[in-house]
Amino acid sequence: MTAQRITCNQPTLDGPEISFIGQAGTSGPNIVVFARAGHVEVRVGTGAAATLRMRTFVGTGVTSFDAATGLTLNTTLTETTDAATATGSLGR
């Protein structure tokens, strides 16, 4: 996975967060990760606007978290994609 941007110590209503934006390989889907103490959300998608295809997954296994320096994940992700969301050919 190729990282395009990592943002640490981002303030949110639920507490400080670390976000990651990257891409699987050179032509794979885009991957966005939002992590905070006790929660991680992963979005996988392709396209934009009318052609956007996306799946969303969440987990609770953030085993250590420091918003300024990093985190450790050990979690099973559960899909939470809304049934009305266009997923196209994005696999699990």
Side-chain angles (χ1 to χ4, degrees):
M1 185 176 325
T2 304
Q4 295 172 346
R5 185 182 79 203
I6 298 173
T7 304
C8 295
N9 215 14
Q10 182 69 33
T12 73
L13 295 175
D14 295 316
E17 179 177 88
I18 295 174
S19 63
F20 166 91
I21 297 174
Q23 184 174 14
T26 57
S27 61
N30 292 313
I31 299 169
V32 181
V33 178
F34 302 98
R36 61 181 188 274
H39 180 82
V40 62
E41 179 175 330
V42 179
R43 297 179 188 167
V44 179
T46 61
T51 65
L52 178 64
R53 303 294 179 257
M54 184 171 64
R55 296 180 93 110
T56 303
F57 305 85
V58 298
T60 58
V62 179
T63 57
S64 70
F65 183 82
D66 182 322
T69 61
L71 64 119
T72 302
L73 295 172
N74 184 9
T75 191
T76 299
L77 296 173
T78 302
E79 185 166 8
T80 59
T81 305
D82 185 275
T85 301
T87 59
S89 61
L90 287 172
R92 287 183 161 267

